[in-house]
């Protein structure tokens, strides 16, 4: 796995030891360590995952730590999957644990465990219906058939679609730059409100939003945002 850091974004490229894009237990250990680092490091404001070669990830070996996907899902900082090729089974479950998903138009998406008499166990039965609706999720999981990238985009499984690797890099870079230009605390609180509020009643979610809004009003970044607006200049956010 290659890891790089630029302008607050930690980028991890999954490089697989064999001919197939299967994530190994050793790779999972490194990813868990990376997730912990991103969460604890103030300079790391965003995480991007992508694959090397022609696939994003087409599955996990049996001994992969079961905490892996959930550890990605609960990161307080924004996360993106740059899906450079097929995302299948646990590989798709990993991608679904991110906040924003970019994909190349040649990619395919599938949950095929049903064909082997098994079922997903890294969160697909819960995340996939929330992303694309129960009927579409059941169709994918009960038949094991794949979605093409266009259908993945249409159903909401993918957030952005690109026609070439260059386009994929360009569009993901533009979106990452936009997110990183925003106030770090505001970004984290918006993510917190959306993801926690999703499983609350509307009234509970609105109260959560109000509480986070009140907390944000006390931050230096909020004051800087107001000053910058009045001064008609770009704000200089510091994450405080």
């Amino acid at each position: 796995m290659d890891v790089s850091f630029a302008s607050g974004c930690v980028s991890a490229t999954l490089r697989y030891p064999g001919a197939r894009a299967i994530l190994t237990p050793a790779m999972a250990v490194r990813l868990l360590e990376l997730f912990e680092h991103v969460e604890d490091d103030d300079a790391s404001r965003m995480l991007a995952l992508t694959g090397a070669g022609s696939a994003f990830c087409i599955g996990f070996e049996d001994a992969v730590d079961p905490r892996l996907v959930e550890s990605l899902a609960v990161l307080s900082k924004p996360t993106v999957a740059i899906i450079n090729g097929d995302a299948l089974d646990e590989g798709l479950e990993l991608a679904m644990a991110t906040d924003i998903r970019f994909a190349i138009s040649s990619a395919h998406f599938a949950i095929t465990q049903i064909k082997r008499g098994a079922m997903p166990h890294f969160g697909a039965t819960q995340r996939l219906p929330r992303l694309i609706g129960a009927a579409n999720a059941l169709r994918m999981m009960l038949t094991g058939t794949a979605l093409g990238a266009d259908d993945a985009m249409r159903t909401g499984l993918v957030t952005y679609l690109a026609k070439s690797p260059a386009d994929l890099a360009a569009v993901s870079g533009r979106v990452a730059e936009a997110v990183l230009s925003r106030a770090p605390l505001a970004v984290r609180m918006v993510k917190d409100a959306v993801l926690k509020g999703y499983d609350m009643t509307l009234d509970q979610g609105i109260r959560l939003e109000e509480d986070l809004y009140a907390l944000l009003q006390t931050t230096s970044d909020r004051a800087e945002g107001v000053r910058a607006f009045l001064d008609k200049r770009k704000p200089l956010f510091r994450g405080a």
Side-chain angles (χ1 to χ4, degrees), residues 191-202 204-206 208:
K191 176 173 176 174
D192 199 32
V194 170
L195 297 186
K196 288 183 178 177
Y198 201 89
D199 293 321
M200 296 178 177
T201 66
L202 179 59
Q204 290 170 336
I206 288 174
L208 172 63

Side-chain angles (χ1 to χ4, degrees), residues 38-139:
V38 170
E39 184 65 30
D40 294 340
D41 179 34
D42 289 340
S44 300
R45 296 176 47 204
M46 189 174 194
L47 173 67
L49 293 180
T50 192
S54 59
F56 175 75
C57 180
I58 64 169
F60 294 174
E61 290 186 0
D62 289 341
V64 163
D65 194 317
R67 300 173 299 164
L68 177 64
V69 173
E70 191 61 25
S71 296
L72 173 60
V74 299
L75 281 179
S76 66
K77 299 172 185 179
T79 58
V80 301
I82 303 171
I83 302 170
N84 58 302
D86 291 352
L88 310 178
D89 296 339
E90 296 90 353
L92 179 52
E93 295 186 88
L94 183 69
M96 287 193 294
T98 62
D99 302 319
I100 302 174
R101 286 162 297 282
F102 306 86
I104 196 163
S105 58
S106 58
H108 295 86
F109 305 83
I111 298 289
T112 68
Q113 289 93 334
I114 198 78
K115 294 181 177 180
R116 302 185 292 278
M119 66 177 287
H121 64 287
F122 283 91
T125 62
Q126 303 307 305
R127 291 193 178 93
L128 191 57
R130 285 167 166 79
L131 290 171
I132 69 173
N136 284 326
L138 284 168
R139 176 169 62 90

